[in-house]
Amino acid sequence: MNTDELIRALRPDDLLDETYHRRREADLARIFADLPAHRPLSVRARLVLVGAAAAGFAALVVPALVAGVAMPDRASAPGGGEVASASPSRPAPVATLDARSFLLAGADNAARADVRTGRFWYSRHRTYEPRPSGEILVSSTESWYDAATGRGRMTTGLDAEVVAGEAARTAKPTPTTQDYRMKLLLNIGGEDLSQDDFWRLPRDVEGLRRWLHAHRRGESSVDFTFWMTRLMLSSPTTPATRAAMLRILADQPGLKLEQGVTDPAGRPGAAVVSPDGTYRLIVDESGARLLAEEYNGPDREEKRAGRSVYAGARKGEKTVYESSGWVEKIGDRP
């Protein structure tokens, strides 16, 4: 079973599950209602409760020992000092940063982030969902959630549009807002976790590594670690847990780093890519705040087991984490 199928299984109670999927399908049906009739589209209902890591991380601190850094030749200067001199027979040295160094620096920055303040976890994310017909459905979801009581609000279908090639059409469906009072649970390796459970996850590398090992079911270590990093950085976890997760990801072999990239919203950052290119995490320049994720593996169909929904995925699917953080009441934004 693939990583997303294993753990992207949100399990609200029957009321939210049935209501959400019914409204989600209705929203998508309205979006595609005026598309040509000879291009039928299947609708994949999916509940997503994710957010980005809280803003306010410190600037990137590059470790002193960075792979690919060459020290210039030094010659004596007048007065006993030294000046750097480059041999005319070779190009000047260029400092490069590898994925491991970048992630470790990001972990240091994540550990210095502010701790929890406020009652509700707010998040807003934008998804890009390729359809079999070639169009891409783009829409945003905004949510507030109090893990202690289950009270919350979710609005789906915000700023929806259908993108076909270089053209974009604004669909303008009526966004759907739902208030609820129930706990939303995410199933990981057979364990149902609430947001409070995420806040209580181990905060040290070895403790979190043992927890991950106990919950990995038949997945490759790299795939599972990539997915869990995305989850930890987009959920209301502690700064120490986020830092530990980044350090665990840094230990994975074969990671690639792409510098000078932008996410689908145009924000600058760097991309950490899995060895086979299936998973791509775009983080900001601090290395600690998740901006977007991209899936470039084979298409997978959605699966259901009882009330659990194992979300499918299509190649090219993206999620942009627009905003997140702790707020005092529903309606507030960080």
Side-chain angles (χ1 to χ4, degrees), residues 4-5 8 20-29 32 41-48 127-132 136-137 139 295 298-304 309-319:
D4 287 346
E5 294 171 329
R8 296 181 71 172
Y20 174 81
H21 285 88
R22 182 169 59 253
R23 293 187 179 181
R24 175 65 168 163
E25 293 189 4
D27 286 343
L28 298 185
F32 288 99
L41 299 174
S42 61
V43 177
R44 175 164 57 88
R46 180 172 58 178
L47 174 62
V48 183
T127 57
Y128 294 69
E129 299 184 49
R131 314 306 301 175
I136 299 175
L137 171 63
S139 64
Y295 174 74
D299 292 351
R300 297 197 303 266
E301 296 300 321
E302 177 183 280
K303 295 183 179 180
R304 292 175 177 267
V309 179
Y310 296 87
R314 292 189 179 277
K315 185 175 183 178
E317 191 170 277
K318 303 174 184 178
T319 301

Side-chain angles (χ1 to χ4, degrees), residues 25-108:
E25 293 189 4
D27 286 343
L28 298 185
R30 284 196 298 272
I31 293 175
F32 288 99
D34 58 350
L35 292 176
H38 65 280
R39 301 168 73 181
L41 299 174
S42 61
V43 177
R44 175 164 57 88
R46 180 172 58 178
L47 174 62
V48 183
L49 182 64
V50 291
F57 295 114
L60 174 64
V61 179
V62 181
L65 295 179
V66 178
V69 177
M71 298 302 295
D73 296 333
R74 309 193 72 85
S76 298
E82 289 186 334
V83 296
S85 60
S87 170
S89 62
R90 63 188 183 193
V94 177
T96 60
L97 193 65
D98 65 359
R100 176 178 171 78
S101 299
F102 180 77
L103 289 169
L104 291 177
D108 290 341

Side-chain angles (χ1 to χ4, degrees), residues 49 121 145-147 184 193-200 236 326:
L49 182 64
W121 175 256
Y145 188 67
D146 179 0
L184 302 181
L193 301 177
S194 68
Q195 289 194 6
D196 272 353
D197 293 326
F198 274 95
W199 187 257
R200 291 190 289 267
W326 294 102

Side-chain angles (χ1 to χ4, degrees), residues 20-317:
Y20 174 81
H21 285 88
R22 182 169 59 253
R23 293 187 179 181
R24 175 65 168 163
E25 293 189 4
D27 286 343
L28 298 185
R30 284 196 298 272
I31 293 175
F32 288 99
D34 58 350
L35 292 176
H38 65 280
R39 301 168 73 181
L41 299 174
S42 61
V43 177
R44 175 164 57 88
R46 180 172 58 178
L47 174 62
V48 183
L49 182 64
V50 291
F57 295 114
L60 174 64
V61 179
V62 181
L65 295 179
V66 178
V69 177
M71 298 302 295
D73 296 333
R74 309 193 72 85
S76 298
E82 289 186 334
V83 296
S85 60
S87 170
S89 62
R90 63 188 183 193
V94 177
T96 60
L97 193 65
D98 65 359
R100 176 178 171 78
S101 299
F102 180 77
L103 289 169
L104 291 177
D108 290 341
N109 290 329
R112 290 193 291 267
D114 294 335
V115 297
R116 173 176 179 171
T117 58
R119 176 178 175 180
F120 291 85
W121 175 256
Y122 167 85
S123 69
R124 180 181 171 109
H125 65 274
R126 190 162 182 79
T127 57
Y128 294 69
E129 299 184 49
R131 314 306 301 175
S133 59
E135 288 91 357
I136 299 175
L137 171 63
V138 187
S139 64
S140 293
T141 297
E142 188 175 43
S143 64
W144 292 261
Y145 188 67
D146 179 0
T149 65
R151 180 186 174 194
R153 174 178 297 171
M154 179 178 292
T155 301
T156 60
L158 293 166
D159 303 321
E161 63 181 3
V162 176
V163 179
E166 298 298 324
R169 296 168 51 199
T170 301
K172 295 187 181 301
T174 302
T176 299
T177 297
Q178 179 175 357
D179 291 319
Y180 52 87
R181 187 180 293 275
M182 61 194 67
K183 288 220 173 185
L184 302 181
L185 302 177
L186 181 65
N187 186 272
I188 302 178
E191 181 180 1
D192 290 334
L193 301 177
S194 68
Q195 289 194 6
D196 272 353
D197 293 326
F198 274 95
W199 187 257
R200 291 190 289 267
L201 286 174
R203 304 180 183 189
D204 64 287
V205 171
E206 290 308 314
L208 186 59
R209 198 191 304 276
R210 287 192 298 269
W211 188 93
L212 293 171
H213 178 74
H215 289 76
R216 180 165 65 91
R217 302 288 180 84
E219 295 297 318
S220 74
S221 177
V222 172
D223 289 353
F224 185 71
T225 303
F226 249 86
W227 200 93
M228 289 304 300
T229 302
R230 195 285 293 172
L231 186 61
M232 297 294 182
L233 294 184
S234 63
S235 300
T237 51
T238 66
T241 300
R242 293 194 190 107
M245 192 70 240
L246 286 168
R247 292 185 176 108
I248 291 171
L249 179 62
D251 288 339
Q252 299 302 307
L255 300 182
K256 305 170 187 175
L257 181 68
E258 300 174 0
Q259 295 180 263
V261 304
T262 57
D263 73 353
R267 297 173 296 183
V272 179
V273 187
S274 63
D276 63 358
T278 295
Y279 303 97
R280 191 168 184 259
L281 300 180
I282 302 177
V283 295
D284 71 353
E285 294 173 349
S286 76
R289 182 188 175 206
L290 181 62
L291 301 179
E293 63 163 322
E294 300 177 3
Y295 174 74
N296 296 301
D299 292 351
R300 297 197 303 266
E301 296 300 321
E302 177 183 280
K303 295 183 179 180
R304 292 175 177 267
R307 288 165 48 206
S308 297
V309 179
Y310 296 87
R314 292 189 179 277
K315 185 175 183 178
E317 191 170 277

